[in-house]
Amino acid sequence: MDSQDSIADGAKTHNDIVVIGAGIIGLACALSLSRQGWRVLVLDKQEPGMGASYGNAGHMATEQVFPIADASILMRLPKMLMDPMGPLRLDWRHFPKALPWFTQLLWNLRPTPYQASVAGIRSLNEASLSAWRRLLGSVNGSHLLKKDGSFLIYEDARSQETIEALKSRMDAQQVAAECWQGGAVREIAPQLSKQIKGGLFFPETAHVVDPWEVIDVLAKAARANGVRFQQDEVLTGKVDDQGVSLRMANSSPIQADKVLVACGAHSAPLTTALTGTRVPLDTERGYHLMLPHEKERLPVAITSLA
Ligand SMILES: Cc1cc2nc3c(=O)[nH]c(=O)nc-3n(C[C@H](O)[C@H](O)[C@H](O)COP(=O)(O)OP(=O)(O)OC[C@H]3O[C@@H](n4cnc5c(N)ncnc54)[C@H](O)[C@@H]3O)c2cc1C
C-alpha cells in the first residue's frame, strides 16, 4: 500500500463504506461492494492478507458441518487436554475471560440450538463452492481452485470405529463420504506411511492451491475496480445516525456512511468499541509453515485422526 498518498485520500474522499481488515473476508466484501457501485475504502494495519488469510491450509471444508458445540467433541475433550501431544491446549490464564464463551457453548449443546447450528453451517457450506467458483472466475483465478476431494485418515486401528460412526453422521446430513482402506488411500497418496489403516474420503470438497495467490488476485481486482486501500490501524471509533467516525493510529480520523468489520480474530473488541454490541466470538491459535518446493507432495488435503 502507498500509505502517504492514501492517508490523504482516505481522510478527504467521501467513503460510502469503510472495510476494516484486508483479509480474505474484507477483500471479497470490498470487491463485491465496489461492483455494486459503493465507494469503498479498505483499512488494514498490515499489507492485504498478512493476517490469517495468506497462511492456511486452503481447504474448502464443506464436509465440516458439525459445530464445535458438539457433545461428541466434548466427551473427547479431557483426553485431548491431558495429552501433551494432543491437538488442543488451553491456556488456563485465558479461561476466566473465555468463560462466557464456554457457557454459551455448553448452552448450545441442547438439541434445538445444535440442530440449528448444523442446518446453518450446512446451508453456508452448500453455497460456498459455487460462490468461490464465481468469485475466482470473475478475477481470472479459476485455476486456483481444485475440487479433488480430501481425506481424514487414521493410523490406529482403534480409530476405525470413530471413522465409521462419523460416516453415519455424515450420511445423515447428506455429506458425501466414503470409507477407504489404507492401501487405496496410498494409491492416491503413495507418500503416506504404511501405518495408515484407512480413512474417510470426501469427494465433494475442494482446496485452493495457494492462499496467498487468492489474496493477490482479489486485492488486484478490488484496486482495479476503484477500491482504495490505506495502511493504518483503527484504534476505536463510533457509529451513530451521522455515520461512522474512526480514530486512526497514524492518520487523521476517517468518516464513512457505513463500516464493515472484517478483522478476523480481532473483530470482537473493535465491534464492541464501535457499536457497544458484544459479539460472542473467541479465537483459537494456529501456526503455519510454508515449505518451498512442496506444492506437489500431497495431491489433496489430508488430515489425520491418529
Ligand atoms: C494455520 C491455519 C490454518 C488454517 N486452515 C484453514 C483451512 O484449511 N480452511 C479454512 O477455511 N480456514 C483455515 N484457517 C482459517 C482461515 O485462515 C481464517 O478463518 C481466515 O483467513 C480469516 O480471514 P479474515 O479475513 O476474517 O481474517 P484475517 O485474514 O486475519 O484478516 C484480518 C485483518 O484485519 C486486520 N486488522 C485487525 N485489527 C485491525 C485494526 N484494529 N485496524 C486495522 N486492521 C486490523 C489484520 O491486520 C488482518 O490483516 C486456518 C487458519 C490458520 C491460522
Side-chain angles (χ1 to χ4, degrees):
M1 290 186 207
D2 185 340
S3 39
Q4 283 316 312
D5 285 355
S6 49
I7 282 172
D9 192 32
K12 284 182 198 152
T13 313
H14 180 82
N15 305 306
D16 293 332
I17 300 184
V18 169
V19 175
I20 312 175
I24 191 80
I25 304 293
L27 289 174
C29 292
L31 177 59
S32 299
L33 289 165
S34 69
R35 284 175 171 167
Q36 291 166 32
W38 301 88
R39 279 169 293 186
V40 183
L41 171 68
V42 177
L43 300 173
D44 199 305
K45 57 187 173 188
Q46 310 179 83
E47 290 287 325
M50 296 311 286
S53 294
Y54 87 101
N56 59 63
H59 175 41
M60 299 281 176
T62 50
E63 86 287 6
Q64 291 180 15
V65 295
F66 301 116
I68 296 177
D70 184 323
S72 71
I73 292 183
L74 284 195
M75 279 186 306
R76 285 189 281 134
L77 208 60
K79 191 170 168 248
M80 285 199 265
L81 286 173
M82 302 300 286
D83 180 357
M85 297 302 285
L88 188 65
R89 201 178 75 82
L90 186 64
D91 184 344
W92 294 103
R93 284 169 306 178
H94 181 66
F95 192 72
K97 215 173 138 212
L99 199 58
W101 187 87
F102 276 111
T103 311
Q104 183 76 48
L105 181 133
L106 290 175
W107 195 242
N108 285 338
L109 289 176
R110 291 170 304 138
T112 306
Y114 176 78
Q115 292 303 342
S117 295
V118 174
I121 297 172
R122 262 189 65 183
S123 64
L124 283 172
N125 284 3
E126 280 163 14
S128 73
L129 268 193
S130 51
W132 270 108
R133 259 196 216 104
R134 276 197 309 277
L135 182 61
L136 287 176
S138 74
V139 294
N140 295 325
S142 298
H143 60 287
L144 296 172
L145 182 67
K146 295 228 179 304
K147 187 175 162 248
D148 294 336
S150 61
F151 280 104
L152 173 62
I153 55 168
Y154 62 95
E155 293 158 57
D156 184 338
R158 286 170 298 182
S159 297
Q160 184 173 353
E161 212 176 294
T162 312
I163 285 284
E164 283 169 359
L166 182 60
K167 165 145 170 55
S168 303
R169 295 177 75 207
M170 292 288 178
D171 289 347
Q173 296 300 332
Q174 285 103 47
V175 175
E178 301 162 5
C179 282
W180 284 33
Q181 296 296 319
V185 176
R186 276 197 309 281
E187 268 177 39
I188 300 282
Q191 307 86 338
L192 291 180
S193 151
K194 290 199 170 57
Q195 299 300 318
I196 306 295
K197 301 285 182 308
L200 265 189
F201 180 60
F202 300 102
E204 297 299 323
T205 59
H207 67 278
V208 294
V209 294
D210 187 336
W212 168 247
E213 267 190 72
V214 174
I215 288 292
D216 194 44
V217 291
L218 289 179
K220 283 183 178 141
R223 278 183 212 281
N225 215 45
V227 173
R228 288 163 299 121
F229 288 77
Q230 179 168 321
Q231 189 171 342
D232 200 354
E233 181 178 6
V234 179
L235 295 178
T236 186
K238 68 175 171 34
V239 177
D240 58 25
D241 298 346
Q242 310 301 312
V244 185
S245 175
L246 301 174
R247 190 152 69 76
M248 309 301 297
N250 300 308
S251 49
S252 318
I254 289 177
Q255 322 293 331
D257 295 341
K258 294 175 192 297
V259 63
L260 192 154
V261 179
C263 294
H266 309 279
S267 294
L270 192 57
T271 305
T272 308
L274 291 175
T275 66
T277 306
R278 290 178 69 85
V279 188
L281 176 74
D282 210 323
T283 53
E284 55 184 330
R285 191 169 284 271
Y287 301 90
H288 85 280
L289 189 61
M290 292 292 275
L291 299 173
H293 323 302
E294 295 289 336
K295 260 187 179 167
E296 310 301 328
R297 184 179 284 267
L298 291 174
V300 295
I302 299 179
T303 318
S304 173
L305 188 69

